[in-house]
Amino acid sequence: MKEKISTYQAVLLIVSAIFPTAIVVLPVIIGKYLEQDSPLAVIFSGLVGLGIAWLIGSLIKATGDAPFLEWVGNKISPVFAVLIGIFLLQYYLDLTTNVLRVYVNFIKENVLLNTPTVITAVIIMLVTLYMINRGIEAISRINSIVNLMLLMVFPLYIWGLTKHINLHRLLPIFDHSAASLTLASLTPIGWMSEVSVLLFIAPYLKFPRKSTFIGVIGICLVTLAMFVEIIMTLLVFGPQYMKNIAYPIFSTISIIQVGRFIENLDVLFISYWTMSVYMKIAIFMFATVQCFKQTFRIRNDKPYTVALSIVVITECLYTWREPEKLNIFNEEGRIIVFLLFNILLPMGILLWTRIKEPVIKRKEYKT
Amino acid sequence: MSEKKRIRRKIHHKGRSFLLVLSLLSLLVGGCWDDRELNELGIVSGSAYDWEDDQWKATYQVINPSSGSSSMGGSGGGSTSSPPFLTYTVKGSTIIQAVERTNLTSTRELFFSHSRVTVIGESLAKQGISQLVDLFLRRPDARETVYVFITEGEAGRILDQLMQLTKNQGAGIQLMIEQEAKLTSYFPGIQMYELAMQMTSDSGSTTVPEIKLTGNRVMDRTDDTAQTDLPSRIAFGRLGVLKEDRFVGWLSQREAFGLSFMTDKIKAANISFPSIPEKSDRDDASVTLLHSSTSVHPIWENDHYVMDIDIKAGAILTEIGSELDLEKASSMRQMERSIENNILEIIDNSWHAVKKLNADVTGFAVSIHRNHPKQWKRIKQEGSWDTVFQKVEIRPHVKVKIERIGLSGRSYKSLELK
């Protein structure tokens, strides 16, 4: 009998689906628009994220434990289900590729400078394939252990930076316009909307009806972690310097020095981060495979998983070869994709079923 | 049917094992391109940069693993006549070109992750150091936590100097500046990331401590250190002031001390003062400041900013040469007043020197931005900070409390008189 994912494990899966890339990509984007007011964007996007989590949770409740696309096929039309399945497949492939490329770029810039990108990408995908092969329940168990490591790293991070903190660096507050706040919040909102991955994880949950709770708690944890990270970076480096560094969290950790025996702690955090990104890639690769499986009604997905991985590697190596293109897309283009697939599409489907349902029921009643 | 299932399961199991073995083996492959052997690396403990003939002149101090125990302390099994570090000096049109050329002359590849200090020559500082800062923040193996120093002459000379009591000169200088900041607070040591932070702040100015040799000779031979009193030692001198990324002048030790008060950088400090100012101006007493805090509030008055500087400190009496009765509260107040006046004078001197250099190393621009954001926006738009800064007036208030008087209740001089 297949084991199911507990509610607690699912919450941590949501954290891993958003947090690993968010801590690397978002601070610089938010800081560019809001400087010392950056924490406001995190709070604002967290609030919107809660709304998205509620939306996804409501949709999962409506599916009544059935796989998402199968349910859409039954409720709306099989053709429509295949059509949105294809679009969603493209979205999840893109997203997995994006995460893979952010990861490869980081490894290439910081750790393995001379190793060919193709080797790094293939190795990461091989490990991911193995994880997918073991199933989502195994992934979620490992993910819980990885997230527990964060509980060890975070106190060390805060304690180590205490002597560098200057509260005045947060001043003046509310120094930026509402337009800047909106611009700064768009990308983080996009990241928060990744909670929609729950749609494909839901059939494996022990209690799918708790999806809203899972999404809401997951978003709260991500918002809290992001808030702490941005606040600490601002308190330590100030708003001007934060804008100029590529990886603020690693830069803040690298200055931690306790006596003469603890320094260069960034290695510790990089180790945690490396594992967490593996989790993120595995979660989205799993969602990609699930989407493929549900769209084309395939029973044995194993051979296709390898094929999908090859597509991801190819897109990672050729489409996002230039880091600037990836940065611009993450900053400006991705929000549209997120908005479309994570908010508008689920909202449209939910509204459609809510409007259509009473009509059908009325017809049934008449006959 | 069951046979089919068994075969399928076997295939699955084999496929899974194959994937696992492949994943684990491939993890090892990643290191092949980036492998580094410790005995092939030249660990850089310090670097120095000068500007000569329109070129970068870089000096790298590389730890010599074959150096053994000697008069410089430490232990090891290598040759005692071999110096604890070696230096390489090369020129290049860019810093990386210089690094490349160093690799042409060394058997080991330079490895910068353990670098402790960087010395900048005045010639380079006058040209601008933004390219150097950029390199430190960009290269993954360069540490942004290195301590930065400036020197009047050639920076490379400093790295040739051997030190007593420590073999690793870079680590020795790091220890010196950390202790200096902790004990005297004349020069708050500055690390590369702090330098970058201050250069990009609203003030756009920063300070870097001067490092120098006390004598003319460079003690670069191992037998030079086999004497009790070295004729030439490494020491900290003045405080170099950089506006944007260029060197604009020096602050003396006393002026630097005043700046430490204004910028809340005092951790501990010794202050000498006349205990009975009505009687004599000569300093005859000392206190050690145990704690000090500074808060700065900008106030707009008529046509200029007034910086209200509030300093509160606590001290312990460490020395007294007069017959003052320490058991009397009035004597304590008298000494506190004298210390306060002394600090006010130090701050005033420092402020005049800073104003003369027209570089906002006080961080007043940041303070105005935080307290008067609208006015700051206007100043920034007009680009008039230099003019505004010249009109700034400071209004320091110092409150010192002698919290302890040490182990003796009365001054020795008062006992002598009896």
Side-chain angles (χ1 to χ4, degrees):
Chain A
M1 194 190 128
K2 260 192 178 176
E3 283 187 58
K4 295 251 175 178
I5 305 167
S6 72
T7 306
Y8 153 77
Q9 285 175 330
V11 167
L12 294 180
L13 276 179
I14 294 304
V15 173
S16 291
I18 305 171
F19 187 60
T21 45
I23 46 162
V24 173
V25 179
L26 297 184
V28 184
I29 296 173
I30 299 173
K32 206 168 87 180
Y33 293 107
L34 281 186
E35 299 176 332
Q36 71 276 12
D37 286 332
S38 297
L40 295 177
V42 177
I43 296 170
F44 184 62
S45 57
L47 289 174
V48 178
L50 291 179
I52 302 167
W54 174 82
L55 171 73
I56 299 297
S58 306
L59 193 58
I60 292 169
K61 248 182 226 167
T63 60
D65 304 353
F68 174 60
L69 290 175
E70 201 180 298
W71 174 80
V72 172
N74 291 336
K75 285 281 169 187
I76 301 172
S77 123
V79 180
F80 179 71
V82 172
L83 204 67
I84 62 159
I86 291 168
F87 281 122
L88 278 172
L89 181 64
Q90 169 66 26
Y91 162 73
Y92 277 110
L93 274 172
D94 262 353
L95 198 59
T96 314
T97 308
N98 191 289
V99 180
L100 181 65
R101 191 68 211 200
V102 169
Y103 189 29
V104 167
N105 284 351
F106 179 83
I107 297 283
K108 186 98 183 128
E109 282 165 22
N110 291 280
V111 192
L112 301 172
L113 313 185
N114 304 314
T115 305
T117 313
V118 60
I119 297 289
T120 318
V122 168
I123 290 173
I124 295 168
M125 278 319 286
L126 273 175
V127 176
T128 311
L129 266 178
Y130 180 71
M131 288 160 81
I132 300 287
N133 194 272
R134 306 306 298 168
I136 188 72
E137 205 278 327
I139 292 173
S140 61
R141 260 186 287 147
I142 301 297
N143 179 60
S144 303
I145 298 169
V146 170
N147 275 288
L148 281 176
M149 272 189 69
L150 188 65
L151 292 180
M152 274 171 20
V153 177
F154 241 62
L156 196 64
Y157 170 66
I158 294 167
W159 174 68
L161 290 174
T162 316
K163 67 172 180 180
H164 301 282
I165 283 174
N166 181 352
L167 283 173
H168 293 110
R169 292 198 176 114
L170 290 177
L171 295 173
I173 38 174
F174 305 119
D175 194 31
H176 296 82
S177 64
S180 300
L181 175 64
T182 314
L183 279 172
S185 305
L186 282 178
T187 315
I189 287 171
W191 246 264
M192 296 294 181
S193 74
E194 286 180 355
V195 68
S196 68
V197 76
L198 260 178
L199 286 174
F200 291 98
I201 297 175
Y204 298 88
L205 295 178
K206 214 176 261 176
F207 307 105
R209 301 218 154 249
K210 282 190 176 173
S211 294
T212 308
F213 173 79
I214 292 166
V216 165
I217 300 295
I219 291 286
C220 285
L221 288 177
V222 172
T223 309
L224 181 71
M226 281 297 299
F227 186 79
V228 171
E229 191 227 337
I230 288 210
I231 281 270
M232 290 306 283
T233 311
L234 280 170
L235 290 175
V236 172
F237 287 144
Q240 303 301 328
Y241 188 66
M242 188 178 91
K243 288 191 289 186
N244 299 329
I245 39 178
Y247 301 106
I249 190 145
F250 299 114
S251 298
T252 44
I253 288 172
S254 70
I255 68 164
I256 295 175
Q257 194 183 341
V258 182
R260 283 182 206 291
F261 44 92
I262 298 181
E263 50 183 45
N264 300 354
L265 276 183
D266 40 343
V267 176
L268 188 70
F269 197 81
I270 287 174
S271 308
Y272 155 74
W273 189 76
T274 306
M275 286 189 279
S276 71
V277 181
Y278 267 116
M279 291 300 137
K280 176 155 185 163
I281 298 175
I283 293 165
F284 281 101
M285 195 60 208
F286 175 80
T288 310
V289 174
Q290 290 304 306
C291 185
F292 183 79
K293 213 169 138 183
Q294 290 178 25
T295 307
F296 300 107
R297 294 161 193 253
I298 290 157
R299 277 176 182 273
N300 181 15
D301 53 54
K302 296 262 158 36
Y304 301 102
T305 311
V306 179
L308 289 169
S309 302
I310 293 169
V311 175
V312 170
I313 293 172
T314 317
E315 201 184 332
C316 165
L317 294 177
Y318 295 100
T319 311
W320 302 116
R321 194 181 293 180
E322 291 158 39
E324 315 84 63
K325 266 191 186 174
L326 182 69
N327 291 343
I328 292 171
F329 182 66
N330 276 340
E331 201 179 325
E332 293 164 10
R334 189 152 288 281
I335 179 64
I336 301 160
V337 181
F338 279 138
L339 188 76
L340 200 64
F341 290 102
N342 294 342
I343 305 172
L344 293 180
L345 183 71
M347 194 189 278
I349 292 170
L350 191 67
L351 283 175
W352 175 268
T353 50
R354 290 268 156 97
I355 295 163
K356 217 181 155 189
E357 205 98 296
V359 177
I360 296 166
K361 274 183 183 166
R362 246 180 279 139
K363 276 182 185 170
E364 280 171 357
Y365 180 72
K366 275 180 187 173
T367 52
Chain B
M1 189 70 179
S2 63
E3 181 65 14
K4 249 186 184 178
K5 253 187 185 175
R6 204 174 57 80
I7 293 168
R8 198 182 292 165
R9 200 174 292 163
K10 210 173 175 185
I11 291 168
H12 271 180
H13 182 71
K14 273 189 179 173
R16 224 180 269 168
S17 307
F18 175 71
L19 213 56
L20 174 66
V21 170
L22 201 66
S23 307
L24 289 175
L25 283 178
S26 56
L27 285 174
L28 304 172
V29 180
C32 290
W33 283 267
D34 289 277
D35 72 312
R36 277 173 173 180
E37 295 295 332
L38 195 58
N39 57 3
E40 290 169 6
L41 293 178
I43 295 169
V44 177
S45 57
S47 55
Y49 301 92
D50 289 288
W51 186 256
E52 209 176 272
D53 307 326
D54 268 350
Q55 276 191 313
W56 290 84
K57 187 178 169 189
T59 304
Y60 296 106
Q61 187 186 74
V62 178
I63 290 173
N64 180 6
S66 60
S67 169
S69 61
S70 69
S71 55
M72 286 161 286
S75 61
S79 157
T80 51
S81 59
S82 182
F85 55 80
L86 310 166
T87 54
Y88 296 87
T89 304
V90 274
K91 281 185 184 176
S93 55
T94 61
I95 308 168
I96 291 298
Q97 201 177 68
V99 174
E100 252 179 24
R101 286 179 184 169
T102 312
N103 283 327
L104 292 177
T105 60
S106 164
T107 52
R108 293 176 176 236
E109 184 193 343
L110 295 189
F111 184 72
F112 294 90
S113 290
H114 295 284
S115 186
R116 303 281 174 171
V117 292
T118 285
V119 185
I120 300 165
E122 196 183 326
S123 55
L124 172 65
K126 281 178 178 165
Q127 282 288 321
I129 59 159
S130 53
Q131 196 175 330
L132 184 69
V133 177
D134 183 272
L135 176 102
F136 270 89
L137 302 182
R138 193 172 300 282
R139 275 177 70 99
D141 64 337
R143 307 238 34 120
E144 60 267 66
T145 46
V146 293
Y147 278 96
V148 187
F149 298 92
I150 193 166
T151 191
E152 200 170 0
E154 196 191 325
R157 280 178 81 231
I158 304 288
L159 294 191
D160 288 332
Q161 173 80 16
L162 291 170
M163 285 176 100
Q164 287 175 315
L165 296 174
T166 179
K167 288 171 74 177
N168 183 344
Q169 192 223 40
I173 296 174
Q174 182 190 6
L175 195 65
M176 272 174 77
I177 192 71
E178 282 175 359
Q179 283 179 351
E180 192 283 326
K182 205 162 69 182
L183 300 173
T184 62
S185 304
Y186 290 137
F187 316 109
I190 190 160
Q191 290 173 297
M192 192 57 88
Y193 75 91
E194 292 174 309
L195 185 85
M197 270 165 67
Q198 289 177 13
M199 274 163 52
T200 53
S201 74
D202 294 319
S203 292
S205 301
T206 186
T207 55
V208 179
E210 180 194 20
I211 193 165
K212 62 175 188 179
L213 298 180
T214 52
N216 293 325
R217 243 190 85 197
V218 178
M219 316 299 280
D220 56 355
R221 297 170 58 84
T222 45
D223 49 358
D224 282 343
T225 57
Q227 48 189 314
T228 52
D229 189 9
L230 279 186
S232 178
R233 289 177 193 274
I234 285 175
F236 302 130
R238 298 162 289 174
L239 195 63
V241 175
L242 275 78
K243 190 173 179 180
E244 284 157 7
D245 71 329
R246 282 164 205 268
F247 173 79
V248 287
W250 297 102
L251 291 180
S252 69
Q253 203 176 72
R254 191 177 159 82
E255 289 159 356
F257 193 33
L259 186 65
S260 292
F261 272 109
M262 285 194 276
T263 50
D264 198 18
K265 293 271 170 64
I266 300 284
K267 285 182 184 160
N270 292 304
I271 295 176
S272 302
F273 60 97
S275 56
I276 312 171
E278 307 86 59
K279 222 171 162 184
S280 161
D281 276 350
R282 199 178 68 83
D283 291 348
D284 60 355
S286 297
V287 286
T288 298
L289 292 187
L290 300 169
H291 56 87
S292 168
S293 69
T294 306
S295 57
V296 179
H297 301 284
I299 304 160
W300 179 254
E301 263 186 25
N302 303 323
D303 61 340
H304 68 288
Y305 273 105
V306 174
M307 307 306 290
D308 202 59
I309 303 170
D310 204 21
I311 298 166
K312 285 193 179 87
I316 176 170
L317 187 71
T318 48
E319 178 187 2
I320 186 156
S322 70
E323 63 278 11
L324 208 65
D325 187 354
L326 301 176
E327 284 168 356
K328 278 186 185 170
S330 60
S331 305
M332 300 303 279
R333 294 296 86 76
Q334 189 181 344
M335 281 198 292
E336 283 167 359
R337 208 110 327 119
S338 181
I339 300 165
E340 285 163 6
N341 288 335
N342 202 335
I343 295 174
L344 283 171
E345 202 186 310
I346 293 169
I347 290 173
D348 201 49
N349 280 345
S350 174
W351 172 237
H352 280 102
V354 168
K355 224 172 171 179
K356 213 168 153 187
L357 293 172
N358 199 22
D360 179 21
V361 283
T362 50
F364 287 164
V366 180
S367 189
I368 291 172
H369 184 186
R370 285 171 186 165
N371 292 283
H372 303 274
K374 280 182 187 162
Q375 285 92 319
W376 174 253
K377 263 182 197 160
R378 192 172 40 81
I379 293 169
K380 213 176 167 189
Q381 269 169 9
E382 291 167 359
S384 58
W385 173 238
D386 279 351
T387 326
V388 175
F389 182 66
Q390 277 304 314
K391 287 183 187 169
V392 168
E393 182 193 331
I394 62 162
R395 208 169 280 164
H397 314 279
V398 182
K399 186 91 193 123
V400 175
K401 175 111 184 87
I402 298 177
E403 292 168 354
R404 298 206 303 268
I405 56 165
L407 301 180
S408 178
R410 304 180 71 175
S411 75
Y412 194 73
K413 186 113 178 174
S414 66
L415 293 174
E416 266 181 355
L417 288 170
K418 281 180 182 174

